Amino acid sequence: MNVAFYEKIWMWAAGVLIVAFLATIAVGVAGSALQPPSHVETIDPTKIWNDPRFKQRGVSVDEHGATVIAVAMMYAFEPAELRVPAGRPVTFRLTSADVTHGFQIVGTNGNTMIVPGYVSQFTTVFREPGEYLIVCNEYCGVGHHLMSAKLIVEAGEVRP
Ligand code: CUA
């Protein structure tokens, strides 16, 4: 088969681009410790308020970092205000009481989908103390644009 010279160049260019795109995924996973939200831990969305994993909502702090337990529902996050320490790993454990919601901490890499029936979990570190806006970024109904919460990242020691 005779392939024209310019066609060969473009075939190689397309091949190189595919390899480059796959490499960015590999580097992101291996190098930056990025992972997709777990979505493997299931939960009955009709029983979350009594589920031992979500009964006690809020922030717990220990020597390693903090864990945030929160529930998304039409059209609020519970709790609506979270205080976490700066510079230490913060693990978010989230679930939905009704429909699919989003959880985006604006200006950070904290961002996940919250799907009813599953526990979404991710861990991140906030280097900059301050107030961050948390928004729902999945359309969930007429009150979607009102669905927000506040994350306060505190410098220094945060008592449990
Ligand atoms: Cu919840 Cu949009």
Side-chain angles (χ1 to χ4, degrees):
M1 191 176 66
N2 188 27
V3 180
F5 175 64
Y6 282 111
E7 201 170 349
K8 271 185 195 156
I9 291 177
W10 286 109
M11 280 163 66
W12 275 106
V16 166
L17 275 179
I18 290 168
V19 170
F21 291 153
L22 292 175
T24 63
I25 297 171
V27 168
V29 168
S32 316
L34 297 173
Q35 69 265 324
S38 44
H39 283 208
V40 286
E41 185 181 337
T42 56
I43 187 167
D44 182 344
T46 63
K47 299 197 174 97
I48 54 173
W49 305 109
N50 287 316
D51 189 291
R53 292 168 290 175
F54 284 90
K55 217 170 174 175
Q56 198 72 42
R57 292 169 300 282
V59 184
S60 57
V61 180
D62 63 23
E63 66 271 26
H64 307 295
T67 304
V68 174
I69 305 288
V71 171
M73 68 199 119
M74 292 188 270
Y75 299 100
F77 295 101
E78 156 57 34
E81 191 180 297
L82 302 163
R83 282 174 189 276
V84 299
R88 289 200 275 165
V90 180
T91 298
F92 290 83
R93 285 179 53 75
L94 312 159
T95 195
S96 168
D98 37 51
V99 299
T100 298
H101 296 281
F103 186 90
Q104 180 180 5
I105 309 165
V106 178
T108 74
N109 68 348
N111 189 354
T112 187
M113 206 186 230
I114 308 176
V115 180
Y118 293 91
V119 177
S120 299
Q121 179 175 319
F122 68 90
T123 302
T124 189
V125 176
F126 302 101
R127 304 260 170 231
E128 287 296 317
E131 270 192 33
Y132 295 83
L133 177 67
I134 299 171
V135 294
C136 175
N137 59 7
E138 295 285 339
Y139 183 74
C140 52
V142 289
H144 163 70
H145 62 290
L146 301 169
M147 191 169 165
S148 68
K150 198 199 289 181
L151 179 79
I152 299 160
V153 178
E154 294 181 319
E157 279 304 297
V158 176
R159 256 166 279 137

